[in-house]
Amino acid sequence: MAQSQAPRVGMEIPQVSAVEKVSGRAIYAGDIQFQGMLHAKVLRSPYPHARIVKIDTSAAAQLPGVKAVLTGADTPEGCWGVPRKEHRVLAVGKVRFVGEEVAVVVAVDEHTAQSAVDLIRVEYEELPALTCCEDALAEGAPEIHEGTANRSKEVHIVRGDVDAAFERAAVIHEAVYDVPSQYQGYLEPMATVAWAGGDGRLTVWTSTQSVFMARTRMADALNRPVSSIRVIQATTGGGFGAKIVEECNSVIAAFAATKVSRPVRLVNSRLEDFLGCRMAVPERIWLKMGVDTNGKIVAKDVRITAECGAYAGLSPHIMVVSAQRSDNMHRLENVRTHAQTVYTNNPPRGALRGFGGQQINFAVNSHLAVLAEKLGMDLREIHRSNAIRKGDTSVHGWTFGSAGYIECLDQVCEAIDWENRDRARLRGGERKRGFGIAPAVHVSGNRQLGNWDGSTVTLKINEDGRALVRSGECDAGQGSATMFAQLCAIELGIPVDHITVMAPDTDSAPYAIGSIASRVTINGGNAMIRAARQAKDQLLQAAAQKLEVDIADLEWKEGRIHVREKVDGSLSISEAVACHIYRHGGSGVEVQATYDPPTVMMNKDHYGNVAPGYSFSAWGVQVEVDTETGQVELMQVVVSDDCGKALNPLTLHGQSAGAAAQSIGWALYENLQYEDGRLMNGNFADYTMPTAHSLPRIECGLIESNEPNGPYGAKGGSETVIIPGAAAIAQAVYDAIGVRFTTLPITPEAVLEALDRKNKGTGHACV
Amino acid sequence: MAQSQAPRVGMEIPQVSAVEKVSGRAIYAGDIQFQGMLHAKVLRSPYPHARIVKIDTSAAAQLPGVKAVLTGADTPEGCWGVPRKEHRVLAVGKVRFVGEEVAVVVAVDEHTAQSAVDLIRVEYEELPALTCCEDALAEGAPEIHEGTANRSKEVHIVRGDVDAAFERAAVIHEAVYDVPSQYQGYLEPMATVAWAGGDGRLTVWTSTQSVFMARTRMADALNRPVSSIRVIQATTGGGFGAKIVEECNSVIAAFAATKVSRPVRLVNSRLEDFLGCRMAVPERIWLKMGVDTNGKIVAKDVRITAECGAYAGLSPHIMVVSAQRSDNMHRLENVRTHAQTVYTNNPPRGALRGFGGQQINFAVNSHLAVLAEKLGMDLREIHRSNAIRKGDTSVHGWTFGSAGYIECLDQVCEAIDWENRDRARLRGGERKRGFGIAPAVHVSGNRQLGNWDGSTVTLKINEDGRALVRSGECDAGQGSATMFAQLCAIELGIPVDHITVMAPDTDSAPYAIGSIASRVTINGGNAMIRAARQAKDQLLQAAAQKLEVDIADLEWKEGRIHVREKVDGSLSISEAVACHIYRHGGSGVEVQATYDPPTVMMNKDHYGNVAPGYSFSAWGVQVEVDTETGQVELMQVVVSDDCGKALNPLTLHGQSAGAAAQSIGWALYENLQYEDGRLMNGNFADYTMPTAHSLPRIECGLIESNEPNGPYGAKGGSETVIIPGAAAIAQAVYDAIGVRFTTLPITPEAVLEALDRKNKGTGHACV
């Protein structure tokens, strides 16, 4: 790959931040070091539920080097939170989970700040803690938030006549799935530097997926106008949903900065990050599905109890996704969902890559496998007979301009030699081989509250013919900056390294939603192409005026403006920029373009075509289960991603492999352990995310279904890959040892216990 | 003045940076302190002209804490300079003035850097030094720059028939004026922090009047594309012309930063600033003028030898201004100018507030006073009979949409009671009282090379209904940010403190020329108004769509959108912004508007209407000269400024008083002393800028001539005030003691010497 050449669609381009990242010179928020900067540390609640009786900060405040000791009493009245503004900057009156932020100390260094934190004496009066949904929903349970009956949201969705349809079903299966939470496990914990300037404005450098949402959050929390806050995205070492709208590190740092006149740095340690972040939403899913003799799903009934923890955050949105998103990948008519989010005194839950998709996908795909088996059908065939196709409108109103369901499935089946899997079975011994496949669907964008899913790009072409792109969509590592640079370079016919994509900054970037819902490739990408074409038009006009030719006689080719049918007389972009500026009425070349997709918001019945495109993926896995140790070994993992068009296969492979790794972790290894609401394994030694050593080579296939709404046919890439992994793995484990897991992770202990029960015949073969 | 109310035109508004400046919290470039930042110090030439034989940096490089020792040999091939690219970052081969930059050391602190500078051994071979124009122009003089004959520019301008016109003159006067250089004396010396990031880009925070010119300068000098450099204006503590295009502090800091991977800070000490900056252009002006019996100037002939010092810089442009600008304030027909800039081995000269206007103005106004006296006319009357008027086109093609010459003069005459000045004369004693008046003209903008004088403003209206303004025009203290905020606030009907004017930043600001030639009020101001109206239109459209009314039924009043003839149903700006974003095809509110004035470039004959408006000013002064001590005491100083319309009288008063103080310094106190090209008084103890104590109360009057091209009638304010001060003071001194000074400053020593000669009758009464 040559960065110095104008790129093509499909050219492998290293991420534009690659060099500064691998050379250690990228500036993450924690790397920002102003002289005179102060450091903050947070005191967290040790109780899942307690009344704060008294806080004695006197000893902390007297520690030399301490500049401020702040508690809830010092915080503004403002509350933040999406959808409910229920979060104060620091706890006031009550704590509702272990880890809730009670006080913050600002001091000359982190060590002093931590020492002062340790000197704060908080008198708590413990309150009854509700650490599971059952308790929270029990009659007479105390309310964690008054007037809520411990429910933060409830939805009922009914399409068709579900009961009648079940009557027609040839086979019906019913089961309960318990899917756990998961830590996002980004390399860079939450980190912020905030500075209240002499002009009364607050500048905040932080690790975020959305600078504008961060700005709103701080404005809400600090009770000040958004315009008085400037949020600049520092290099961000992964977000995976946790850095969308729910992180409070930036809010606390910003608050602390308003109390001292020096910059304040607040960087979570890994433990603090485990305690302070909003991990994935655990759900209990009761699912009943009926199929006809051809395997066609005729009815589906689902009940979901999702736990939002102590504060609602995005959990209600995630629950809604679980409640209906997976329905859209099948040709369904009769579905019924009742889903709710329940407050508990566990830590608040939130978004993780896949956004509720993987929870329900695990249930639905596991269910389909059972139904196929009951029908004596091949699993691949039951998928084929239910798969949504290009041109379809789903039961919830999604319309598919492209759909790679079948193609993704075919790709993985071929790669794992699905048809001949029986030949690959092991004979005898402790190791059992099994195969699993599973597909998924995900949005590329999502028109949500506010009826807007647009993206705006500002493009400036400098006097040297090179370009600068400003967008508010954040690159948290997923490659959006590289996508912008590539599309811009393709349009202008110049090398990628002639393009700078500015870090999002609420002062200089156009208003934006941010990097969520795999929305940036279609929405941002289209805006980028529009902006580039607009800039080209302006330059062509200026060139036509200068060359005294009709604009129709000019063409833009390989980064130059040529007069058609003339050999000489072409202008470089640089020269054209000069023509654009230096004339009567001239100006620098700076254009802005917006793409807002032709989507609709879900209506009150949760119906509507919310995204301009929908990505599919599928997994094919081959496992070996060691029946002696219980270890599930992944012998082959193939993921297929329907990205519409592979603009840059390098990024897609990276993202698909990452998503697959996260899915493998959730399926097999990661196990958050709580005791009475206290996380017991908040570190990477005990919380066993898969390491490079424990991962197989992940084969990443691409399906190019050519999304008509997408830039050059592209749509959101790779997020879909996280969704079906657990189902595929669980299916392969079942295929190997005949035990169906309905809860995760499938640890060696769980395998051994299940095998034990199976052998003893004391339990069902469903765990 | 209430910042919380929507302002009016003419309301006194403190500068938007006032609080952070007076509270000491504004961040000047020298205040930027990154951890790990390195510090640079420069080694300068002790010789006015020498060949660099050898530089031994070994001892310096070995000093602990030194990170880099760089000389001309390390610099890129690139040269910078306007109009001639003749400057390397550091001297290569030769030094051409005392103070020329020979080496730079980067070290862990300033002290270490300076110690290392002292360890650098440079072997020079001295060359003959040309320290005055006569020597430089003498036949056989060595060339300072090869092939130039020591002339960097020469102009001949002829209008009408000068010789024939002199034949018709009733009185002719001929004299030579020697006007000295002057240090700009801003509070903040040149200062820069530069950082070469891991992404290969260079970020530079510097004290500048033009971020884009700074960027070009660095790109030229460092031989890299402008797009690889980001220049951000730090708070700037005055520029007065010296921080337009000629400062090299930022270039050297940027260069040093490319050689180390940490931020580099280079802050001039006051002495370094005296040595390294480009002070005003000294000129010898031979002037011959003839008037008719009515005092009307019939012919003018001028020859100017302007010294540009060792490098041309802006001196040729400044010389051209001296050569013709003052002609435009009179109704002239016959003028002839021959002017040139001459290289010497003195430090390079450059721009100072007034930009060559004060040099020639001193001569012309002094001359007119002589001619009036010879004719027995009142000085005020000779001005009246020559004054250019609104609607006139001057001899060099300037057309006046507004002209406050007479009004300014009337205002100062009234204030000093000019008509009755004889009554105020002192009788007897050593103290003699005298009166002087003088007018001037200056441009408000200047269409120069490149045929563009436009200004672009980006306006973003946030979701809280507050606004952010981005412009590349720099506020160096003169108040342009406040002007932008005020105009924006007036247009939107919101308080000034709801508006943030972002510091210019080449990445985020639209392309701009910068703060030169008093161009920002008309050009930037009009762009601001256009942008605000465009934003209002967009918001009205969004509101009309939301309210389902015709846009014609809406009106914008007091920061709200009202439905005409309806009491209720109005929208706040904040609500209108939400309507603008949250809809199909919506986007954040961000608009960009450019105003390029209806001017032309000077043609090759130096003819053309170069500015959209021309400001006038006048001085009236009353002095007492102590004939025993030679001290000139300013008893009354009245300045009048024709600013078109006083948008914000507070800023205008500040700027007028500052310009007057600078003019007083030049006229009476400031005296750069060189010995063989070496500045002997590069400090504020010996270079006697006027202190508060030595200044009288300066009465600042305003004339509102209502410039049709200006925003609400405004044009450039207060720069014109620096121009006629010396002439008015010299005239008053003559009026007091009968000695005409043709050189400056009029120090006590000069006064005593002149009186001595006058009394002895040994010299003429003209010094």
Side-chain angles (χ1 to χ4, degrees):
Chain A
M1 202 298 313
Q3 296 274 32
S4 59
Q5 288 166 18
R8 301 181 314 275
V9 169
M11 190 184 259
E12 298 215 319
I13 296 168
Q15 293 217 10
V16 291
S17 58
V19 171
E20 61 178 334
K21 281 178 178 162
V22 298
S23 63
R25 297 195 60 200
I27 308 289
Y28 295 83
D31 296 325
I32 297 171
Q33 302 264 330
F34 295 106
Q35 211 171 56
M37 186 170 73
L38 301 173
H39 298 260
K41 279 287 169 191
V42 170
L43 175 70
R44 296 171 186 278
S45 166
Y47 298 108
H49 203 193
R51 199 166 69 76
I52 300 172
V53 178
K54 203 177 120 188
I55 306 182
D56 180 1
T57 59
S58 55
Q62 281 161 28
L63 192 71
V66 170
K67 300 297 179 184
V69 184
L70 305 164
T71 70
D74 302 304
T75 61
E77 289 290 322
C79 278
W80 63 277
V82 172
R84 290 171 186 243
K85 294 197 199 313
E86 57 190 10
H87 236 98
R88 287 283 285 265
V89 180
L90 297 169
V92 174
K94 253 186 175 187
V95 287
R96 294 183 174 87
F97 71 96
V98 174
E100 181 154 11
E101 298 79 7
V102 172
V104 60
V105 172
V106 184
V108 293
D109 56 41
E110 280 188 285
H111 176 77
T112 305
Q114 187 58 56
S115 300
V117 160
D118 297 341
L119 290 171
I120 299 172
R121 293 288 161 259
V122 187
E123 190 183 317
Y124 294 101
E125 177 192 324
E126 275 195 81
L127 297 170
L130 303 165
T131 55
C132 69
C133 294
E134 288 71 15
D135 291 352
L137 293 174
E139 191 144 340
E143 286 187 330
I144 295 167
H145 294 276
E146 272 179 36
T148 61
N150 292 335
R151 280 182 185 79
S152 58
K153 175 135 181 145
E154 204 170 348
V155 294
H156 293 269
I157 306 170
V158 183
R159 314 263 185 245
D161 187 336
V162 174
D163 295 325
F166 272 121
E167 300 289 326
R168 297 196 305 271
V171 186
I172 293 174
H173 178 57
E174 188 180 322
V176 173
Y177 299 86
D178 265 304
V179 290
S181 184
Q182 183 179 20
Y183 177 52
Q184 291 85 352
Y186 31 72
L187 276 176
E188 184 211 15
M190 313 281 187
T192 306
V193 171
W195 194 349
D199 60 353
R201 295 184 84 222
L202 197 55
T203 302
V204 182
W205 295 262
T206 192
S207 181
T208 183
Q209 295 176 242
S210 173
V211 286
F212 285 96
M213 288 197 199
R215 188 174 75 160
T216 302
R217 184 161 72 246
M218 290 173 214
D220 287 347
L222 304 180
N223 221 350
R224 53 193 290 158
V226 289
S227 293
S228 71
I229 304 169
R230 177 181 186 182
V231 179
I232 299 170
Q233 192 200 6
T235 304
T236 298
F240 309 119
K243 297 175 183 173
I244 298 175
V245 299
E246 301 169 302
E247 67 81 27
C248 53
N249 172 286
S250 64
V251 174
I252 296 169
F255 162 65
T258 64
K259 300 291 181 182
V260 293
S261 61
R262 283 155 63 178
V264 175
R265 175 178 179 272
L266 177 61
V267 178
N268 284 2
S269 70
R270 186 57 68 178
L271 172 60
E272 288 163 339
D273 209 78
F274 267 97
L275 294 174
C277 96
R278 307 299 185 240
M279 299 185 198
V281 176
E283 296 179 358
R284 168 160 294 178
I285 299 166
W286 171 87
L287 178 62
K288 178 179 169 189
M289 261 165 62
V291 289
D292 67 16
T293 49
N294 300 317
K296 177 105 186 56
I297 303 166
V298 293
K300 180 185 169 200
D301 197 4
V302 65
R303 273 178 255 145
I304 300 173
T305 300
E307 194 211 302
C308 65
Y311 294 95
L314 287 175
S315 297
H317 293 285
I318 292 159
M319 172 271 282
V320 170
V321 165
S322 293
Q324 50 116 276
R325 190 164 287 178
S326 73
D327 294 346
N328 295 289
M329 72 173 166
H330 297 140
R331 289 174 156 175
L332 300 181
E333 285 170 18
N334 307 294
V335 296
R336 182 165 56 205
T337 302
H338 174 208
Q340 60 185 343
T341 38
V342 178
Y343 288 116
T344 66
N345 290 114
N346 288 325
R349 312 305 190 168
L352 184 146
R353 203 181 205 173
F355 204 84
Q358 56 269 56
Q359 288 92 322
I360 189 71
N361 184 284
F362 174 60
V364 168
N365 272 318
S366 296
H367 231 72
L368 270 179
V370 173
L371 289 164
E373 191 179 32
K374 288 187 175 180
L375 283 171
M377 262 181 99
D378 186 87
L379 180 51
R380 185 179 182 178
E381 288 314 308
I382 205 167
H383 281 299
R384 282 180 172 278
S385 55
N386 286 290
I388 204 108
R389 313 278 170 128
K390 175 179 167 179
D392 283 355
T393 295
S394 76
V395 67
H396 298 305
W398 292 13
T399 61
F400 291 83
S402 65
Y405 187 124
I406 304 288
E407 294 80 355
C408 285
L409 207 62
D410 286 350
Q411 192 173 54
V412 300
C413 284
E414 191 171 321
I416 65 169
D417 201 10
W418 176 258
E419 299 303 330
N420 301 309
R421 63 193 183 280
D422 283 337
R423 281 191 229 149
R425 300 221 181 271
L426 302 171
R427 323 222 165 241
E430 297 80 26
R431 292 179 73 86
K432 308 291 177 191
R433 189 168 285 180
F435 291 79
I437 55 172
V441 71
H442 192 60
V443 291
S444 297
N446 192 359
R447 199 172 199 89
Q448 297 181 83
L449 280 178
N451 197 16
W452 188 61
D453 195 23
S455 188
T456 304
V457 165
T458 302
L459 171 62
K460 182 177 191 166
I461 305 192
N462 284 319
E463 310 92 275
D464 54 6
R466 300 182 178 212
L468 184 124
V469 173
R470 295 201 301 268
S471 150
E473 317 295 3
C474 295
D475 194 335
Q478 84 276 22
S480 57
T482 308
M483 180 276 294
F484 282 125
Q486 181 183 10
L487 292 184
C488 184
I490 290 171
E491 287 294 321
L492 299 180
I494 62 176
V496 166
D497 63 7
H498 284 199
I499 292 158
T500 298
V501 181
M502 199 175 168
D505 164 349
T506 54
D507 274 8
S508 64
Y511 185 73
I513 292 169
S515 290
I516 62 171
S518 284
R519 57 184 293 286
V520 178
T521 296
I522 291 188
N523 298 339
N526 279 325
M528 181 72 254
I529 290 175
R530 287 183 177 185
R533 292 181 183 172
Q534 210 172 300
K536 277 160 71 174
D537 284 347
Q538 287 196 5
L539 288 170
L540 286 167
Q541 274 167 30
Q545 191 182 328
K546 177 76 171 185
L547 299 172
E548 297 178 342
V549 298
D550 195 274
I551 193 165
D553 294 333
L554 293 177
E555 61 179 342
W556 188 291
K557 212 167 63 187
E558 290 164 2
R560 290 189 75 86
I561 294 171
H562 299 264
V563 184
R564 277 183 218 283
E565 291 158 27
K566 262 199 180 177
V567 190
D568 53 357
S570 74
L571 289 178
S572 68
I573 300 180
S574 169
E575 288 161 340
V577 170
C579 298
H580 192 277
I581 301 173
Y582 300 112
R583 55 171 176 166
H584 272 269
S587 67
V589 182
E590 189 170 322
V591 299
Q592 195 171 86
T594 297
Y595 174 82
D596 184 32
T599 51
V600 297
M601 283 172 63
M602 279 198 309
N603 66 16
K604 63 179 174 28
D605 293 328
H606 299 87
Y607 186 93
N609 185 38
V610 298
Y614 301 94
S615 296
F616 289 82
S617 78
W619 279 55
V621 295
Q622 198 184 143
V623 303
E624 283 184 24
V625 183
D626 186 318
T627 55
E628 198 155 343
T629 65
Q631 190 83 39
V632 177
E633 189 177 352
L634 295 166
M635 307 308 290
Q636 188 181 11
V637 172
V638 185
V639 300
S640 174
D641 183 51
D642 165 23
C643 56
K645 182 81 195 169
L647 296 177
N648 179 9
L650 207 56
T651 309
L652 288 161
H653 284 145
Q655 287 298 299
S656 289
Q662 239 166 349
S663 192
I664 291 167
W666 191 51
L668 296 180
Y669 306 121
E670 298 176 38
N671 203 355
L672 290 159
Q673 293 170 336
Y674 291 93
E675 275 183 27
D676 299 330
R678 283 177 191 84
L679 180 64
M680 306 309 287
N681 60 338
N683 62 73
F684 281 157
D686 299 320
Y687 180 75
T688 48
M689 283 176 68
T691 59
H693 184 72
S694 60
L695 285 172
R697 189 171 85 82
I698 296 163
E699 299 167 47
C700 302
L702 295 168
I703 293 298
E704 297 190 318
S705 59
N706 196 21
E707 170 53 46
N709 285 327
Y712 304 117
K715 51 190 173 183
S718 302
E719 186 175 0
T720 320
V721 170
I722 200 175
I723 297 174
I729 292 167
Q731 172 59 18
V733 170
Y734 172 76
D735 190 39
I737 61 169
V739 179
R740 268 198 200 283
F741 284 84
T742 55
T743 188
L744 301 172
I746 306 171
T747 58
E749 296 81 355
V751 168
L752 290 180
E753 198 185 326
L755 283 173
D756 195 41
R757 271 186 296 179
K758 184 189 170 204
N759 295 338
K760 286 182 187 156
T762 55
H764 22 234
C766 190
V767 182
Chain B
M1 201 300 311
Q3 295 275 35
S4 59
Q5 287 166 20
R8 301 181 314 275
V9 169
M11 190 185 259
E12 299 213 321
I13 297 168
Q15 292 215 12
V16 291
S17 58
V19 170
E20 60 178 334
K21 281 179 178 161
V22 299
S23 63
R25 298 195 61 201
I27 308 288
Y28 294 84
D31 296 327
I32 296 171
Q33 302 265 330
F34 294 107
Q35 213 171 55
M37 187 170 73
L38 301 172
H39 298 260
K41 280 286 169 193
V42 170
L43 176 70
R44 295 170 186 279
S45 166
Y47 298 108
H49 203 193
R51 200 166 68 77
I52 300 172
V53 179
K54 201 176 122 188
I55 306 182
D56 179 0
T57 60
S58 56
Q62 281 161 29
L63 192 71
V66 170
K67 300 296 180 185
V69 183
L70 305 163
T71 70
D74 302 305
T75 61
E77 289 289 322
C79 279
W80 62 277
V82 173
R84 289 170 189 247
K85 295 198 201 313
E86 56 191 10
H87 236 99
R88 288 285 284 266
V89 179
L90 299 168
V92 173
K94 252 187 177 188
V95 289
R96 294 182 173 87
F97 70 96
V98 174
E100 182 154 11
E101 298 79 7
V102 173
V104 60
V105 173
V106 183
V108 292
D109 57 41
E110 279 187 287
H111 176 76
T112 305
Q114 187 57 55
S115 301
V117 161
D118 297 341
L119 291 172
I120 299 172
R121 293 288 161 260
V122 187
E123 190 183 319
Y124 293 100
E125 177 193 327
E126 273 195 82
L127 297 170
L130 303 165
T131 55
C132 70
C133 293
E134 287 73 13
D135 291 351
L137 293 176
E139 192 143 340
E143 285 187 332
I144 295 168
H145 295 276
E146 272 177 36
T148 62
N150 292 335
R151 279 181 186 81
S152 56
K153 177 139 181 142
E154 202 169 352
V155 294
H156 293 269
I157 305 169
V158 183
R159 314 262 185 246
D161 186 337
V162 174
D163 294 326
F166 271 121
E167 300 289 327
R168 296 197 305 271
V171 186
I172 292 175
H173 179 58
E174 188 180 324
V176 173
Y177 299 86
D178 265 305
V179 289
S181 183
Q182 183 180 20
Y183 177 54
Q184 291 85 351
Y186 32 71
L187 275 176
E188 183 211 14
M190 313 283 187
T192 304
V193 171
W195 194 349
D199 59 353
R201 297 184 84 221
L202 197 55
T203 303
V204 182
W205 295 262
T206 192
S207 182
T208 184
Q209 295 175 242
S210 173
V211 285
F212 285 95
M213 289 198 199
R215 189 175 71 160
T216 302
R217 183 160 72 247
M218 291 173 213
D220 287 346
L222 304 180
N223 221 351
R224 52 193 290 159
V226 289
S227 293
S228 72
I229 304 169
R230 177 182 184 180
V231 179
I232 300 169
Q233 190 200 8
T235 304
T236 297
F240 309 119
K243 296 175 183 173
I244 298 175
V245 300
E246 301 169 302
E247 66 82 24
C248 53
N249 172 285
S250 63
V251 175
I252 296 169
F255 163 64
T258 64
K259 301 291 181 182
V260 293
S261 61
R262 283 155 65 178
V264 175
R265 176 178 179 271
L266 176 61
V267 177
N268 284 2
S269 70
R270 186 57 68 179
L271 171 60
E272 288 163 339
D273 209 77
F274 267 96
L275 294 174
C277 96
R278 309 299 184 241
M279 300 187 197
V281 176
E283 295 178 0
R284 169 160 293 178
I285 299 166
W286 170 87
L287 178 61
K288 178 179 170 188
M289 263 164 60
V291 290
D292 66 15
T293 50
N294 299 316
K296 177 103 186 58
I297 303 166
V298 293
K300 181 185 168 199
D301 197 4
V302 65
R303 274 178 254 142
I304 301 173
T305 301
E307 192 211 303
C308 66
Y311 294 95
L314 287 174
S315 297
H317 292 285
I318 292 160
M319 171 272 282
V320 170
V321 165
S322 294
Q324 50 116 277
R325 191 164 289 178
S326 74
D327 294 347
N328 296 290
M329 72 171 167
H330 297 140
R331 288 174 156 174
L332 301 181
E333 285 170 17
N334 307 294
V335 296
R336 183 165 57 206
T337 302
H338 174 209
Q340 60 185 344
T341 38
V342 178
Y343 287 116
T344 66
N345 291 114
N346 288 326
R349 313 304 190 169
L352 184 147
R353 204 181 205 173
F355 205 84
Q358 54 270 56
Q359 288 91 323
I360 189 70
N361 183 284
F362 173 60
V364 168
N365 272 317
S366 297
H367 231 71
L368 269 179
V370 174
L371 289 164
E373 190 179 32
K374 288 189 175 177
L375 283 171
M377 261 181 100
D378 186 87
L379 180 52
R380 185 179 182 178
E381 288 314 308
I382 205 168
H383 281 298
R384 281 181 172 280
S385 56
N386 286 290
I388 203 107
R389 315 277 170 129
K390 173 179 168 181
D392 283 356
T393 295
S394 76
V395 67
H396 298 305
W398 293 11
T399 62
F400 290 83
S402 65
Y405 187 125
I406 304 288
E407 294 80 356
C408 285
L409 207 63
D410 287 350
Q411 192 173 53
V412 301
C413 285
E414 192 171 320
I416 64 168
D417 201 10
W418 175 258
E419 298 303 331
N420 301 309
R421 63 192 182 281
D422 283 337
R423 281 191 228 149
R425 300 222 182 270
L426 302 171
R427 323 218 167 246
E430 296 80 27
R431 292 179 73 87
K432 306 291 179 192
R433 188 167 289 178
F435 292 80
I437 54 173
V441 71
H442 191 60
V443 291
S444 299
N446 193 358
R447 198 171 201 90
Q448 297 181 83
L449 280 178
N451 196 16
W452 188 60
D453 195 22
S455 188
T456 303
V457 166
T458 301
L459 172 63
K460 182 175 190 168
I461 305 192
N462 283 320
E463 310 92 273
D464 55 6
R466 300 180 179 214
L468 184 123
V469 174
R470 295 201 302 267
S471 151
E473 317 295 4
C474 295
D475 194 336
Q478 84 276 22
S480 57
T482 308
M483 180 276 293
F484 282 125
Q486 182 183 10
L487 292 183
C488 185
I490 289 171
E491 286 294 321
L492 298 181
I494 63 176
V496 166
D497 63 6
H498 284 200
I499 292 158
T500 298
V501 181
M502 199 172 166
D505 165 347
T506 53
D507 273 9
S508 65
Y511 185 73
I513 292 169
S515 290
I516 61 171
S518 284
R519 57 184 295 284
V520 179
T521 296
I522 291 187
N523 298 341
N526 279 326
M528 181 72 254
I529 290 174
R530 286 183 180 185
R533 291 180 185 172
Q534 209 173 301
K536 277 158 73 173
D537 283 348
Q538 287 196 3
L539 288 170
L540 285 166
Q541 273 167 30
Q545 190 181 331
K546 177 75 172 189
L547 298 171
E548 296 178 344
V549 297
D550 195 274
I551 193 167
D553 293 333
L554 293 176
E555 62 180 341
W556 189 291
K557 212 167 63 185
E558 292 165 359
R560 289 189 75 85
I561 293 172
H562 299 263
V563 184
R564 278 183 217 280
E565 292 159 27
K566 262 201 179 178
V567 192
D568 51 359
S570 74
L571 290 179
S572 67
I573 300 180
S574 167
E575 288 162 340
V577 170
C579 298
H580 192 277
I581 300 174
Y582 299 112
R583 55 173 176 163
H584 271 269
S587 67
V589 182
E590 190 169 323
V591 299
Q592 194 171 86
T594 297
Y595 174 82
D596 184 32
T599 51
V600 297
M601 283 172 63
M602 280 199 307
N603 64 19
K604 62 179 172 32
D605 293 327
H606 299 87
Y607 186 93
N609 186 38
V610 299
Y614 301 95
S615 296
F616 289 83
S617 77
W619 280 55
V621 295
Q622 199 185 140
V623 303
E624 284 184 23
V625 182
D626 186 318
T627 54
E628 198 154 343
T629 63
Q631 189 81 41
V632 177
E633 189 177 352
L634 295 167
M635 308 307 291
Q636 190 181 12
V637 172
V638 185
V639 299
S640 174
D641 182 51
D642 166 22
C643 56
K645 181 81 194 169
L647 295 176
N648 179 10
L650 207 56
T651 308
L652 288 160
H653 283 144
Q655 286 299 297
S656 289
Q662 238 165 352
S663 191
I664 291 167
W666 190 53
L668 295 179
Y669 306 120
E670 298 177 38
N671 203 355
L672 290 160
Q673 292 170 338
Y674 291 94
E675 275 183 28
D676 299 330
R678 283 178 191 81
L679 179 65
M680 306 308 287
N681 59 339
N683 63 71
F684 282 156
D686 299 321
Y687 180 76
T688 48
M689 284 176 68
T691 59
H693 184 72
S694 60
L695 285 171
R697 189 171 85 81
I698 295 163
E699 298 166 49
C700 301
L702 295 168
I703 292 298
E704 297 190 319
S705 60
N706 196 21
E707 170 52 46
N709 284 329
Y712 303 119
K715 53 190 173 184
S718 302
E719 186 174 2
T720 321
V721 170
I722 201 176
I723 297 174
I729 291 168
Q731 172 58 17
V733 170
Y734 171 76
D735 191 38
I737 60 169
V739 179
R740 268 197 201 283
F741 284 84
T742 55
T743 188
L744 300 171
I746 306 170
T747 58
E749 296 81 355
V751 168
L752 291 179
E753 196 185 327
L755 283 173
D756 195 40
R757 272 188 295 181
K758 184 189 170 202
N759 294 338
K760 289 184 186 151
T762 55
H764 21 235
C766 190
V767 181

